[in-house]
Amino acid sequence: MPAPGPNAALRLPPKCNACQSNRVAWTSPRVDFCYQCLPGGPFPPPPCGRCRASTDYFSQGLCSRCHPRSPEHIGSCKGCLAWGVYPRHNWTCWSCRWWQSHYPKGTCAYCGRASHVSDRGACRLCLENARLEQGPARAPDLVGANNDSQQLFFANMVFKRRVTPLPDYVRWDGQWSQKNKNQLPYKPDTRFDEHALEQLVLFDMDPDPEVLRQRLLVEDSELTRYCASIVADHARRYGWSVRQRNAVIQSLRLLQILRPTPTAKVRASDVVALRRYDGTITSTLDVLAEAGLLIEDVPTRVERYFNAKFIESGALPDTMREHLKLWLQIMLGGSRQAPRQLPREPETVEIHIQGLAPVVQTWVEAGRQSFAEISKDDILAALACLPAGTSHRHFAENGLTSLFKILKGRRLVFTNPMKGIDLTRIATNLPLSLDVAVIRGELDSPNPAVALAVALVAFHGLTGKQVRELQLTDIIDGRLHLDGRDIPLAAPVRTRLSAWLDHRNRTWPATANPHLLINRRTAPRLVPGGPSFPWKESRIRPSALREDRILHEIHATGGDVRRIYDLFGLSVEGATRYLKTVEHPDLRNEDHPGNRP
C-alpha cells in the first residue's frame, strides 16, 4: 500500500517482521514490512513530505528527522528552550535534568514561565542569561538581563568544560590512570612551619592564566597530599558534592603553585586572593584550619573599621593605641580574668567605635598622650561638643563607659572618669503597623524559606537573629523551645514549616548543618545563614514585622504589659515603648471594647 501523506495522523509505526526496523511502509492484519523487505523489493522509499530527503525514511511520509515520534527527531528543551534535545530524554537537556532534580516547580519571577525555579525564584533560562552579562566579582543581574529579551542557546553546551592540552614537558607513561593522585600518602617528614623564611617577591605580577592551567594538570604537591584525608572527611561529614570536593582540591593545588615558600603555613589572605582564579574560598579555609595550616591574617569588618578610625591616621599616641587594641580584643573575645566579660556582638562594638572616634580625636588634638590623663571635666567638655539628645552623643557615652570600665579593671587608669556621669537618653519613635496585604503576600511567597521566616516572625514575634539561629532540634511535636519558652506553633507556621523541610530534604539530602534555615553556601558547613538570609528576597524587614506583631498584641490586650513580657521576652523599657501607643490618638484600636466611645 502507498505511504500516507504528511498530513495523516501521526502514530508510532509497528516493527518490520523481517528486519525489526520501525520504517514500516506496508501493513496488513497479519504482516508488516518496510520498503527494503517488501515482496518483490527492495523498493526506494518516497521522499520526506516535509524536508524532501530520500535517504532516511521513517514512517507516514516523514524521515527520521521530521517525524515527531522518531528517536532522531530534534526539538527544544522543555526547561531552558535550548535547541538540540531528543525525545528519548523526555525533551530535556542534561543541565535541566539536574536542575529539575534539585529545584521545585513554580512560576519564574522574571519571565513568568511555569518551570522549575531556584531559591531566587528564577528559571534556568533567566539565570543563564544573567550569567552571560555577569561581571567579575558581581552577582548575576536577573532583572536587567531578562528585561527586554532573552538569548537562546544550543543544548548541552553551556557547562562544557574548557579543554586545555597537556604541556610539552608531560610524558605519558601509561601509569596515570592506575593511581589517584589526590590520595597518595605524603612523606613522613612533611611539615609546615609558621615561621618559615619566606622569599619576598621583587615584582608583584599575576601569572599567565594559560600557564597556570597547565601547571594544575601535573601539580602533585605535598599540601594536596597532606590535606587529602581531611578533604575526604569533610566531604563525607558535610555532604559535599563531587564538584565541590574537586574544587577544594584544585584550590589547594593553586595555593601550592602560587606560594613562594612551599613549606610555610598558608595565610588566609592568600586563600582569599584565589577568587581571581575562580578558587573556592570558604571550604578551603575550613580544610586548612582543621589541618592546622591556616594563619588568620584577614581582618574582620569590625577590625577594618577600627583601623580606619584609629590606626591608619598615625596620629594616635602609642599608649592610647595599645589601650584601644586591648579594649577591642576584650569586647570581641571576652575576658576570663576579673572583671570577667562576655563577648559583645560585632554590631555593638562598631557602634561604640563610631561614638569613641570623635572624642578620642578631640583629646589627641589637645595633646593628651594616655587615657590616664583624662578627667571628668575632659569628658564633659568633649561631650558638650556633641548635640544633646542625639544618637552620636548616646553612642559616645556608651563607648566611653565601656572603654574606661575595661581600663580600670586592668588597672591601666587610676580612676574611672565616667563614674557619676548620667547617660542621656535619646528620643525613641513610636512603632507603626505594616500593611496587611504586604504581610499576606510574603506569607504566600514562592520561596519556602521566606514564607517560613515571615510566618515565624508574624505569628510568634521572633527576632531576625533568633530565626537565623534556630536549629532543627528546637522544634519538637509542633512546639518551639526557645530561650526557656515553650511556644506552640500556629497552624500556618506548621504548614510552611512542612513545605520548607520538604524543600530542604529534596535540595540538600546529605547536609549535616543543624540549623533550620540553610542555603547553598551554608549547606556544606555547620554555620547559620547571614543576616540578609532569607530577608533579601522579601519586601519587609524582620524588625518592622516584629514591631507590628507586638503592636497588635498590646492593642488586642488593652495594654497588658505582663503578657508581652512573657510572649516576646521584652525588657521594661522595651515594653513601655509599645505601651505608649495604646493611648495615642492616631494608633488607637477602635475595635477594642475599651477604646469605643
Side-chain angles (χ1 to χ4, degrees):
M1 60 179 296
N7 296 327
L10 296 177
R11 59 181 179 84
L12 188 64
K15 293 184 179 181
C16 176
N17 289 345
C19 64
Q20 298 299 315
S21 68
N22 289 329
R23 298 170 175 83
V24 172
W26 189 85
T27 303
S28 68
R30 296 183 179 180
V31 182
D32 297 323
F33 291 109
C34 64
Y35 279 101
Q36 301 293 328
C37 302
L38 277 174
F43 297 98
C48 176
R50 181 175 300 175
C51 66
R52 311 308 300 174
S54 59
T55 58
D56 193 13
Y57 176 80
F58 184 73
S59 179
Q60 298 173 331
L62 299 176
C63 64
S64 60
R65 290 290 184 178
C66 298
H67 198 284
R69 298 301 300 272
S70 169
E72 301 299 326
H73 182 66
I74 301 177
S76 298
C77 177
K78 295 190 299 185
C80 62
L81 307 182
W83 179 261
V85 294
Y86 295 97
R88 61 175 175 268
H89 299 304
N90 196 20
W91 303 107
T92 309
C93 66
W94 298 113
S95 300
C96 286
R97 292 179 68 183
W98 179 92
W99 185 272
Q100 293 175 4
S101 64
H102 286 73
Y103 296 108
K105 288 185 177 180
T107 302
C108 180
Y110 304 96
C111 66
R113 293 192 306 119
S115 179
H116 291 261
V117 295
S118 64
D119 295 341
R120 300 184 61 179
C123 64
R124 183 172 171 268
L125 177 61
C126 293
L127 183 60
E128 292 300 331
N129 276 270
R131 286 174 175 172
L132 291 176
E133 302 179 4
Q134 180 182 3
R138 298 288 183 181
D141 184 10
L142 292 168
V143 178
N146 301 280
N147 191 19
D148 299 326
S149 62
Q150 290 179 321
Q151 175 65 48
L152 300 182
F153 42 87
F154 291 105
N156 305 326
M157 296 184 65
V158 176
F159 294 111
K160 186 177 181 180
R161 294 184 179 272
R162 182 169 41 196
V163 179
T164 303
L166 289 175
D168 298 336
Y169 51 83
V170 176
R171 296 294 180 265
W172 181 261
D173 55 0
Q175 299 180 359
W176 189 269
S177 59
Q178 300 176 7
K179 67 178 183 179
N180 186 355
K181 65 180 297 184
N182 298 326
Q183 300 295 333
L184 290 176
Y186 58 89
K187 298 179 181 179
D189 57 345
T190 301
R191 57 187 302 270
F192 298 88
D193 190 4
E194 182 177 356
H195 304 287
L197 298 179
E198 297 186 17
Q199 177 64 45
L200 301 179
V201 295
L202 183 60
F203 299 103
D204 190 6
M205 300 177 60
D206 294 335
D208 186 3
E210 184 62 29
V211 176
L212 192 61
R213 285 194 296 269
Q214 293 178 359
R215 288 285 304 275
L216 280 175
L217 295 175
V218 296
E219 176 63 31
D220 190 15
S221 64
E222 296 296 335
L223 179 63
T224 307
R225 298 187 184 185
Y226 192 85
C227 301
S229 60
I230 300 176
V231 173
D233 182 64
H234 264 66
R236 178 184 56 81
R237 284 188 295 157
Y238 301 144
W240 285 5
S241 62
V242 177
R243 180 180 180 182
Q244 183 176 2
R245 182 183 60 187
N246 293 339
V248 172
I249 294 175
Q250 183 177 1
S251 300
L252 293 174
R253 295 179 186 170
L254 279 171
L255 283 173
Q256 196 68 1
I257 294 173
L258 298 174
R259 290 197 307 158
T261 307
T263 59
K265 288 189 175 182
V266 183
R267 300 183 182 274
S269 56
D270 296 337
V271 181
V272 175
L274 295 179
R275 187 175 287 111
R276 70 182 68 175
Y277 307 109
D278 297 332
T280 303
I281 308 302
T282 308
S283 300
T284 306
L285 289 174
D286 294 341
V287 170
L288 292 174
E290 185 166 340
L293 304 180
L294 186 64
I295 301 177
E296 291 285 355
D297 62 338
V298 177
T300 61
R301 175 181 173 179
V302 178
E303 293 172 343
R304 292 195 301 268
Y305 187 68
F306 177 84
N307 294 334
K309 289 294 184 180
F310 297 114
I311 307 301
E312 293 179 358
S313 61
L316 200 66
D318 295 340
T319 306
M320 284 188 172
R321 182 172 62 253
E322 296 300 327
H323 288 178
L324 287 172
K325 287 183 177 180
L326 175 63
W327 169 79
L328 179 67
Q329 177 184 353
I330 295 177
M331 289 291 290
L332 293 177
S335 176
R336 291 180 175 270
Q337 68 181 64
R340 296 178 177 87
Q341 178 173 317
L342 293 175
R344 299 293 189 265
E345 293 291 336
E347 293 79 6
T348 304
V349 180
E350 190 170 341
I351 290 176
H352 287 348
I353 295 174
Q354 181 181 353
L356 283 172
V359 178
V360 174
Q361 181 65 26
T362 303
W363 292 337
V364 171
E365 294 176 355
R368 299 292 192 271
Q369 298 295 321
S370 173
F371 289 110
E373 304 176 17
I374 305 302
S375 62
K376 184 177 181 179
D377 295 336
D378 295 329
I379 294 179
L380 294 176
L383 293 177
C385 300
L386 302 175
T390 60
S391 59
H392 297 285
R393 181 161 182 170
H394 183 71
F395 295 161
E397 292 173 347
N398 289 336
L400 290 172
T401 302
S402 173
L403 175 63
F404 283 104
K405 177 182 177 181
I406 292 177
L407 296 182
K408 182 63 172 62
R410 296 300 182 273
R411 299 181 180 181
L412 298 176
V413 295
F414 299 104
T415 59
N416 187 352
M418 287 296 296
K419 187 176 182 179
I421 298 179
D422 295 332
L423 303 182
T424 59
R425 298 181 179 272
I426 59 176
T428 58
N429 57 351
L430 292 177
L432 299 176
S433 59
L434 296 177
D435 187 5
V436 180
V438 177
I439 301 177
R440 187 179 294 111
E442 295 302 315
L443 286 173
D444 298 333
S445 173
N447 190 337
V450 173
L452 176 59
V454 172
L456 287 172
V457 180
F459 285 92
H460 301 294
L462 273 64
T463 63
K465 182 181 178 181
Q466 289 174 341
V467 173
R468 185 168 65 250
E469 296 179 353
L470 276 182
Q471 297 191 0
L472 296 172
T473 54
D474 294 334
I475 301 177
I476 303 175
D477 295 334
R479 307 181 74 89
L480 174 62
H481 301 272
L482 180 66
D483 298 335
R485 294 182 292 163
D486 188 4
I487 306 174
L489 295 178
V493 179
R494 293 198 299 268
T495 302
R496 287 156 179 81
L497 175 63
S498 177
W500 162 250
L501 292 178
D502 292 341
H503 172 76
R504 171 192 167 111
N505 295 333
R506 183 172 57 253
T507 309
W508 304 286
T511 180
N513 196 319
H515 295 88
L516 177 63
L517 294 176
I518 60 176
N519 52 29
R520 179 177 58 86
R521 295 182 178 273
T522 61
R525 283 172 281 276
L526 304 180
V527 297
S532 61
F533 176 77
W535 304 101
K536 187 177 181 180
E537 305 294 334
S538 175
R539 293 177 292 173
I540 54 181
R541 300 295 94 192
S543 57
L545 188 58
R546 173 180 163 86
E547 287 183 353
D548 179 85
R549 174 68 181 91
I550 301 176
L551 188 64
H552 180 272
E553 187 69 30
I554 197 68
H555 280 267
T557 58
D560 190 351
V561 179
R562 177 57 186 271
R563 184 165 181 174
I564 63 174
Y565 286 164
D566 299 335
L567 286 178
F568 309 109
L570 294 177
S571 61
V572 176
E573 182 179 358
T576 306
R577 176 170 174 259
Y578 293 94
L579 185 61
K580 294 178 181 179
T581 64
V582 176
E583 300 299 331
H584 197 280
D586 296 334
L587 300 176
R588 289 173 61 87
N589 188 358
E590 300 297 339
D591 296 334
H592 193 271
N595 294 333
R596 294 175 182 173

